[in-house]
Amino acid sequence: MPVGAQLTVTDMRRAARHPVDHKVIGEHRRLGDLHMHIVNISAHGFMVDGDLPLTRGERIVIRLPHVGRIEAHLIWVTEGRGGFQFERIVRPDDFFALIDTLQPNPRLRRSR
């Protein structure tokens, strides 16, 4: 992608989503620690299930294996689910190591 180019929703939806079952703590500047359950993840963001006390646009910081601390903002929320977009690019080698850690069963991993 050219420098300065913006990702569209269509571009983000094309990123392969990997099913995971990973609990994280999201750090929110006003609410403090939020316990969340990530159910799928891509190189651009992740989806959680469960009720969120957040509205669109709010930001959290989470800690992921191989990626470390990363900020994300809430793109959508509906019916006990929410979608977050990462604020920075996750390097491909870090992302694949993350998937190998979060989804150890190779049959459940999407092709690369």
Side-chain angles (χ1 to χ4, degrees), residues 72-87:
H73 67 276
L74 185 60
I75 297 292
W76 59 267
V77 61
T78 185
E79 300 176 5
R81 296 180 302 153
F84 289 84
Q85 179 180 335
F86 294 130
E87 288 293 320

Side-chain angles (χ1 to χ4, degrees), residues 7-17 42-44 110:
L7 286 176
T8 66
V9 172
T10 303
D11 293 331
M12 293 186 322
R13 304 267 323 150
R14 286 186 189 140
R17 288 179 205 56
S42 76
H44 301 292
R110 299 212 182 246

Side-chain angles (χ1 to χ4, degrees), residues 68-108:
R69 287 174 53 92
I70 187 164
E71 188 173 0
H73 67 276
L74 185 60
I75 297 292
W76 59 267
V77 61
T78 185
E79 300 176 5
R81 296 180 302 153
F84 289 84
Q85 179 180 335
F86 294 130
E87 288 293 320
R88 67 174 165 85
I89 295 171
V90 176
R91 292 183 0 190
D93 56 334
D94 290 338
F95 181 72
F96 293 132
L98 168 71
I99 295 305
D100 289 345
T101 300
L102 297 185
Q103 186 46 267
N105 183 342
R107 291 185 324 204
L108 296 177

Side-chain angles (χ1 to χ4, degrees), residues 31-94:
L31 300 172
D33 290 349
L34 301 173
H35 294 268
M36 299 187 307
H37 178 224
I38 298 176
V39 294
N40 75 41
I41 195 163
S42 76
H44 301 292
F46 58 96
M47 183 177 81
V48 299
D49 69 356
D51 292 325
L52 292 171
L54 305 174
T55 57
R56 286 182 55 214
E58 289 193 85
R59 298 177 188 294
I60 60 163
V61 176
I62 62 172
R63 191 176 301 272
L64 293 172
H66 305 282
V67 174
R69 287 174 53 92
I70 187 164
E71 188 173 0
H73 67 276
L74 185 60
I75 297 292
W76 59 267
V77 61
T78 185
E79 300 176 5
R81 296 180 302 153
F84 289 84
Q85 179 180 335
F86 294 130
E87 288 293 320
R88 67 174 165 85
I89 295 171
V90 176
R91 292 183 0 190
D93 56 334
D94 290 338

Side-chain angles (χ1 to χ4, degrees), residues 20-34:
V20 296
D21 179 9
H22 186 67
K23 296 193 185 314
V24 296
I25 296 175
E27 302 169 20
H28 187 270
R29 65 176 175 78
R30 180 177 42 86
L31 300 172
D33 290 349
L34 301 173

